[in-house]
């Protein structure tokens, strides 16, 4: 269990990982992809985005576990998932183009 600024940095990194994970999972859906890119989604990127999304959420959990004990880390992680989902949903409704940078690796493949 970490304390002080180090724990805060781990929690910040966990928050960013959860946000990116939710963004990747959102971009894996046809409707959200079309919202962001105004183009049809290539099937080759769906599984890559899903895998990246799952990895981002798992990384968020690992980082939370590094910052605090297991019961508190699980609670914080679930709250981060909710906040990340809300944040991605608001971004999709307000400025969907802001999520385009999340797909740079998936679009290249």
């Amino acid at each position: 269990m970490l304390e002080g600024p180090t724990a805060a940095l781990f929690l910040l990194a966990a928050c960013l990982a959860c946000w990116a994970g939710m963004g990747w999972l959102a971009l894996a859906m046809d409707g959200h992809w079309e919202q962001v890119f105004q183009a049809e989604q290539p099937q080759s990127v769906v599984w890559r985005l899903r895998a990246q999304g799952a990895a981002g959420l798992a990384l968020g959990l690992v980082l939370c576990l590094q910052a605090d004990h297991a019961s508190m880390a699980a609670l914080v992680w679930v709250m981060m998932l909710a906040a990340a989902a809300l944040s991605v949903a608001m971004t999709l409704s307000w400025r969907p183009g802001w999520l385009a940078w999340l797909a740079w690796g998936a679009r290249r493949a």
Side-chain angles (χ1 to χ4, degrees):
M1 188 167 95
L2 301 172
E3 293 182 14
T6 307
L9 287 175
F10 271 85
L11 290 174
L12 177 63
C15 190
L16 292 173
C18 287
W19 186 84
M22 285 293 182
W24 285 320
L25 288 175
L27 287 175
M29 298 180 189
D30 291 334
H32 297 316
W33 181 275
E34 289 174 11
Q35 230 180 325
V36 173
F37 295 107
Q38 286 83 39
E40 192 170 316
Q41 183 178 34
Q43 280 304 96
S44 61
V45 302
V46 173
W47 286 105
R48 178 167 290 163
L49 287 169
R50 287 179 185 171
Q52 285 177 271
L57 299 182
L59 177 62
L61 176 59
V62 169
L63 290 169
C64 284
L65 288 168
Q66 291 297 314
D68 219 337
H69 54 88
S71 60
M72 183 57 76
L75 174 66
V76 169
W77 181 65
V78 169
M79 291 188 309
M80 279 186 190
L81 292 179
L86 179 64
S87 174
V88 168
M90 293 299 208
T91 303
L92 281 168
S93 66
W94 184 52
R95 297 273 196 248
W98 287 6
L99 294 179
W101 67 272
L102 284 173
W104 70 270
R107 291 182 73 187
R108 298 176 129 207

